[in-house]
Amino acid sequence: MNTTIHKLMQWVLNPPADAAPPATLLIRLMAGGVFVGEGLLKFVFPATLGMGRFHALGIPAPELMATFVGLVELVGGLLFLLGWFTRLAAIPLMIDIVVAILSTKIPLWLGTSPLPPPPVPPQVGFWAVVHEIRPDVAQLLCSGFLFLVGAGPWALDALLARPRGQASVEPEVVVR
């Protein structure tokens, strides 16, 4: 059992640089940028996107939880942008998104959401959820992708894993 846990921790903390293509950088930039922005918004607009939103949703200790979630998104997003501890950062970010989906989209589906409805129809029910869940699903899938493949060769994780003096991984260019 200890060996399995040790192997899992090694897999999470030390992804091989060649496990993901260089274009993984684009996924990291998109997901990291959105998480950083959403984390900052919880502090910039606490009444509507931070503590106030958490209070309206009935989340216990809304001020503490909004601060915690804002920091998770901010720090996790920065780690994605840097490509540093990417797999480890993906875990709390995926949990964050799943909780966001469960706490906001299910009440929207049921028509019981305490939050303001979407600005245009459909405002409740299945189709409202289909429309409103798109960014959440994109963030969840991007985070899952980064968890599975790591940050890619153009990341701090890969740079730190490279033996000293070894050149960076460059994409192969074929000229015909």
Side-chain angles (χ1 to χ4, degrees):
M1 182 71 167
N2 259 348
T3 306
T4 305
I5 293 171
H6 179 72
K7 285 180 182 178
L8 178 63
M9 289 306 297
Q10 288 301 316
W11 181 82
V12 169
L13 295 174
N14 301 305
D18 61 354
T24 302
L25 173 67
L26 300 175
I27 301 294
R28 285 194 1 252
L29 293 177
M30 191 285 304
V34 171
F35 276 122
V36 166
E38 289 298 318
L40 286 173
L41 286 171
K42 286 176 178 56
F43 297 105
V44 175
F45 298 102
T48 55
L49 298 174
M51 174 196 51
R53 182 179 181 90
F54 282 54
H55 183 270
L57 291 168
I59 294 175
E63 189 171 321
L64 176 67
M65 291 306 293
T67 301
F68 174 73
V69 170
L71 287 172
V72 165
E73 291 175 350
L74 185 58
V75 171
L78 288 171
L79 291 173
F80 272 10
L81 290 173
L82 294 170
W84 193 31
F85 292 110
T86 305
R87 283 182 169 164
L88 190 60
I91 297 167
L93 292 173
M94 288 187 293
I95 293 168
D96 173 62
I97 292 296
V98 168
V99 170
I101 290 169
L102 293 174
S103 63
T104 62
K105 302 314 181 269
I106 291 175
L108 181 63
W109 186 334
L110 299 174
T112 60
S113 179
L115 301 175
V120 295
Q123 294 179 311
V124 295
F126 176 78
W127 294 112
V129 172
V130 167
H131 181 71
E132 294 292 318
I133 203 168
R134 295 169 301 144
D136 298 327
V137 170
Q139 287 296 96
L140 182 62
L141 293 177
C142 287
S143 298
F145 175 81
L146 293 171
F147 177 74
L148 292 173
V149 303
W154 294 341
L156 199 50
D157 284 343
L159 180 67
L160 295 173
R162 238 177 256 130
R164 288 190 172 266
Q166 183 178 341
S168 67
V169 177
E170 295 295 329
E172 185 178 319
V173 177
V174 178
V175 179
R176 294 180 196 235

